[in-house]
Every structure is written in structure tokens, then in C-alpha cells.
Amino acid sequence: IRKGADLSQRDKSGMTILMRSITRGNDEIFKFMLTQNIALDDRNKLGETALIIAANCSQKDMVATLLDRGVSTDQCDDRKVTGLMSAVFRGNALIVEIFLKHNANVDTADIDGNTALSIAIVRGYGKLSQMMLFALNGLPVPNNWATRHTDDTTALYLQPGDFPFLLKANGGTKGHDNYLVRPPKQPDEY
């Protein structure tokens, strides 16, 4: 770079220097690239942007920096997977929280109809399910209880000691209308 390399060059997979700095966790090159006149929404051959790659690589500070610089939370790859979805898939609550603070849409669906919320429910990530349900309804996220219940079901406690609501997402369906949200039939059901 110091010898005058072309900052827009790409490797065989379409990765830019900025993207590679993210995958390698190289803060120095990442910060340097942000001082240059480069596009922050360039895509590799999979359609991934720097933001999506940062979420995939669990680079919390890089995700925050890109969002603070105005990168859209709605960026998605060729399969319509967003950075929020990637963070949820990996169970990374810190990155999910950053996306939610930047008003990421929890109900955007990928090409298979999965949303960040449905991914959290199916994978049994109770805290992430809770965070997104509250965000979906425009409510502040409380620090309460949510736990894995059974296969593809998450128990959500609105207050500690309450009976949980059980959440189930039908994989591959579009929109939050397809989530089953109900109280348990019996106290011992959870």
C-alpha cells in the first residue's frame, strides 16, 4: 500500500483490500482504508459487502465503525442475507445489539424466507429472539429472560418468574406473521 498499490484491486474472489483487512482482523489496514476515497458498499463475487463480511467474521468494532460511517444496515448478499442475519446465525449478541441500535430491519427475508428473528428462534437463541421481538415492536430491549425450550422453540419470559411465551418459527416462511407466540398450556410445559 505504501508503495502506491491500487487500492481498488481485488483478488480472485472479488475481495477488496478493505474486505481482506476485515477477514484478517487487521485494524491498522482497516482504519487506513477508511481514510482513502473508497466505496464502502463494494461487493465480492458472493455479493457480500464489507459490513456483511465484518458481521460474518464477528468484527464488532469494524461493524460499528462501518455503520457509524453511514453504511446501510439493509445491505445484503446475493442470497439476500443481511449482516444482522449473519450475526444472529453466529449467536453474536454484541453485534446484533449494534445492528439494532442502527435500526436494522429484523423482518427482512432472505431468498429462502428466513428472517433474523426466525433464525434466532429456530437456533434457540432466546436472548436474541427477545431483543428482536422488542425491536420489531419498537420497544426498548429489556434485560430479561429467554431460553431454549424444545426443538425449534424458544421460551420467552417477559419478567423473571412469569410463565413463558413459546416462540416457534416455521423455517422458510416469510414475515413475522408466521411465528407462533403463545403461553404454555400447563405450568410444567416449559
Side-chain angles (χ1 to χ4, degrees):
I1 292 174
R2 290 186 183 116
K3 294 181 181 179
D6 177 9
L7 299 180
S8 64
Q9 70 183 350
R10 295 171 179 269
D11 64 16
K12 291 182 223 175
S13 61
M15 298 281 279
T16 64
I17 296 171
L18 177 66
M19 292 173 185
R20 281 292 169 210
S21 72
I22 294 168
T23 63
R24 294 181 178 141
N26 190 321
D27 286 328
E28 183 180 346
I29 293 176
F30 176 78
K31 289 175 183 174
F32 171 79
M33 292 302 292
L34 293 178
T35 67
Q36 305 304 301
N37 188 23
I38 59 167
L40 299 179
D41 57 355
D42 279 346
R43 296 177 180 278
N44 65 15
K45 289 186 177 179
L46 298 175
E48 298 168 322
T49 63
L51 179 62
I52 294 168
I53 292 168
N56 283 335
C57 295
S58 298
Q59 297 289 353
K60 175 182 70 83
D61 293 336
M62 293 177 182
V63 167
T65 298
L66 290 167
L67 290 173
D68 288 344
R69 287 181 170 256
V71 171
S72 172
T73 60
D74 295 328
Q75 290 181 350
C76 58
D77 67 14
D78 291 346
R79 296 188 47 79
K80 304 296 182 209
V81 174
T82 65
L84 175 61
M85 289 177 195
S86 294
V88 169
F89 186 82
R90 285 160 181 72
N92 195 320
L94 295 174
I95 292 180
V96 168
E97 187 174 6
I98 292 168
F99 273 104
L100 294 179
K101 284 181 180 176
H102 284 84
N103 300 314
N105 187 343
V106 302
D107 211 26
T108 298
D110 67 11
I111 63 171
D112 296 319
N114 300 307
T115 66
L117 179 55
S118 70
I119 293 167
I121 293 169
V122 169
R123 293 185 67 82
Y125 297 144
K127 179 180 179 180
L128 299 182
S129 301
Q130 182 184 38
M131 289 167 66
M132 286 181 286
L133 275 173
F134 278 83
L136 182 65
N137 290 292
L139 302 171
V141 179
N143 186 17
N144 291 333
W145 302 75
T147 60
R148 176 80 170 174
H149 180 62
T150 60
D151 291 340
D152 297 339
T153 305
T154 298
L156 173 65
Y157 298 82
L158 298 181
Q159 293 183 26
D162 281 355
F163 291 109
F165 283 84
L166 303 180
L167 309 174
K168 183 171 178 77
N170 300 322
T173 59
K174 294 186 186 261
H176 62 278
D177 297 337
N178 296 307
Y179 303 128
L180 171 64
V181 181
R182 66 170 177 82
K185 293 178 184 171
Q186 304 293 324
D188 63 349
E189 188 178 344
Y190 59 96

